Amino acid sequence: MTILVTGGAGYIGSHTVLYLKEQGEDVIVLDNLQKGHKKAVLGVPLYEGDLRDEKLLDNIFSKHTIDAVIHFAANSLVGESVEKPLEYYDNNVLGSYQLVKSMVKNNVKKIVFSSTAATYGEPTSIPIQESDPTLPTNPYGETKLAIEKMLRWSNDAYGLKSVCLRYFNAAGADPQGRIGEDHTPESHLIPIVLQAALGQREHVSIFGDDYQTEDGSCIRDYIHVLDLAQAHYLALKKLEETNESGVYNLGNEKGFSVKEVIETCRTVTQKEIKAVIGPRRAGDPAVLIASSEKAKNELGWNPQYPDLETIVTHAWNWHVNHPSGYQSKQYN
Ligand code: UFG
């Protein structure tokens, strides 16, 4: 298969590209490198450009015989999306619209889409099932849900088959330590705690300890980035075999509080890591835990690294060896 991966220089995209290559697939990456890193794209062609560039997309589709697209390229910060909703509609919705339009024009009929648990908003029950209500509480989730809907209607109208994967909290890094997670500025919990372990931050702020949870801090379902990569590959296989569209949650079906994550990081790194209780962060639901039964049953998904300590160990291995992320000397 020849697969076009949009956003293949980003965190989840680059790990998926590596995984696909290791399965023997041909991969082409399209990334505008606004957030992604050239150095995260290992051994596959990279087109540097934007999804909203119609000519570039048509050029890629006419130059290569693309069998399927995996679509990661997006802005993906919840807080930022509240501050700058139009940027999210522009990049995420307009970019995806342009991609789908070019796919239809160029007769490419399969897409795996990077969606999110943020499409559910405040959950009505735990664990969250795919059939639960989708009422996003921020523009990021809204734009991802709008794209899911665009794909559903494009299935009916143009026969474009899609699998939408709703990730919970992606974490970890390549177990071999070749690539990892590097955002500027960093806002995700595990890399922030590991930066504190490296002495790059004085402390970690726990965003609220007055939630209705056992220790008062928020509970999330952390899933290894390579297990997400495996799911994308299986989703493509399913599209090839059944030609049926679908929506799947991807999580470990187990929740950890912010305090538990910090404690796990202390165990793995053997560092003290100072934590300070801060105010709640706007828009954070108390508990998000996936039911991933559907992905396991229908895609044959079988997470290889479900243990939080393993997830943190892989992340730590990358951070400790690349303290400046992709600016570290190993990449120069
Ligand atoms: N947190 C802290 N301190 C920090 C950073 C985070 O206490 O310095 C807490 C948050 O409040 C939250 C938890 O740690 O309770 C995890 O926060 P992250 O920012 O790592 O992740 P989110 O759960 O906010 O968001 C992630 C993805 C989004 C996606 C969402 C879906 O980053 O893209 O999951 O649930 F939309």
Side-chain angles (χ1 to χ4, degrees):
M1 252 192 296
T2 301
I3 304 153
L4 173 66
V5 179
T6 76
Y11 170 46
I12 306 173
S14 59
H15 285 81
T16 302
V17 167
L18 209 54
Y19 185 88
L20 292 171
K21 262 200 73 189
E22 285 170 358
Q23 308 308 309
E25 306 294 349
D26 289 325
V27 180
I28 294 157
V29 169
L30 169 64
D31 199 299
N32 65 11
L33 298 179
Q34 258 176 26
K35 296 274 162 65
H37 304 275
K38 213 178 210 163
K39 291 165 186 164
V41 181
L42 302 181
V44 305
L46 166 67
Y47 283 89
E48 189 177 334
D50 200 279
L51 277 180
R52 291 157 293 188
D53 181 344
E54 189 170 357
K55 274 201 186 122
L56 173 64
L57 284 179
D58 283 342
N59 179 28
I60 295 173
F61 284 121
S62 58
K63 210 159 149 194
H64 305 271
T65 309
I66 309 276
D67 299 297
V69 174
I70 303 185
H71 177 33
F72 292 100
N75 290 1
S76 62
L77 297 178
V78 170
E80 185 187 63
S81 78
V82 178
E83 311 273 313
K84 302 172 183 169
L86 292 183
E87 273 187 26
Y88 277 67
Y89 278 87
D90 185 1
N91 194 25
N92 296 2
V93 179
L94 212 60
S96 301
Y97 158 76
Q98 196 54 62
L99 174 67
V100 169
K101 196 171 138 197
S102 280
M103 288 178 69
V104 170
K105 186 155 90 180
N106 290 281
N107 212 26
V108 179
K109 292 286 176 70
K110 293 180 179 68
I111 182 167
V112 175
F113 173 57
S114 163
S115 191
T116 169
T119 52
Y120 293 108
E122 194 68 48
T124 48
S125 59
I126 296 289
I128 300 172
Q129 310 220 333
E130 289 83 350
S131 52
D132 286 354
T134 44
L135 292 164
T137 50
N138 54 66
Y140 169 61
E142 287 285 7
T143 59
K144 290 284 181 173
L145 189 60
I147 299 161
E148 283 196 11
K149 289 181 178 172
M150 177 170 67
L151 292 173
R152 203 178 314 143
W153 291 111
S154 298
N155 174 89
D156 299 352
Y158 317 116
L160 177 74
K161 299 295 166 184
S162 60
V163 172
C164 298
L165 299 175
R166 294 178 179 161
Y167 321 147
F168 282 65
N169 288 60
D174 169 36
Q176 294 179 44
R178 292 166 291 183
I179 55 176
E181 183 170 13
D182 179 359
H183 300 109
T184 308
E186 189 51 77
S187 68
H188 296 96
L189 180 64
I190 292 177
I192 282 179
V193 181
L194 297 180
Q195 285 175 352
L198 281 171
Q200 295 174 346
R201 287 174 192 263
E202 199 259 327
H203 68 268
V204 184
S205 293
I206 297 172
F207 296 153
D209 73 341
D210 55 352
Y211 287 93
Q212 293 292 315
T213 61
E214 207 157 295
D215 65 20
S217 64
C218 286
I219 292 178
R220 293 288 181 274
D221 181 339
Y222 295 87
I223 177 76
H224 198 292
V225 65
L226 265 204
D227 287 328
L228 292 181
Q230 184 209 115
H232 288 79
Y233 180 62
L234 293 171
L236 279 181
K237 291 268 160 209
K238 166 135 192 308
L239 277 178
E240 261 203 320
E241 283 159 21
T242 66
N243 209 33
E244 270 175 30
S245 296
V247 177
Y248 299 93
N249 285 342
L250 299 176
N252 271 317
E253 308 186 291
K254 203 166 178 304
F256 290 92
S257 71
V258 173
K259 289 180 183 173
E260 285 173 327
V261 170
I262 296 171
E263 209 41 59
T264 305
C265 291
R266 288 185 180 125
T267 307
V268 168
T269 63
Q270 294 291 299
K271 308 273 180 191
E272 273 182 24
I273 310 178
K274 186 173 166 198
V276 172
I277 307 294
R280 288 185 177 197
R281 187 172 67 178
D284 269 344
V287 182
L288 290 174
I289 301 173
S291 161
S292 299
E293 284 313 296
K294 195 176 169 210
K296 287 177 181 164
N297 292 336
E298 293 185 16
L299 302 179
W301 187 47
N302 176 20
Q304 299 298 295
Y305 310 103
D307 170 51
L308 184 64
E309 211 167 297
T310 307
I311 293 174
V312 171
T313 300
H314 292 165
W316 176 237
N317 180 34
W318 194 74
H319 284 280
V320 88
N321 288 308
H322 306 92
S324 309
Y326 288 104
Q327 302 300 321
S328 303
K329 60 180 184 320
Q330 291 91 332
Y331 290 106
N332 293 321

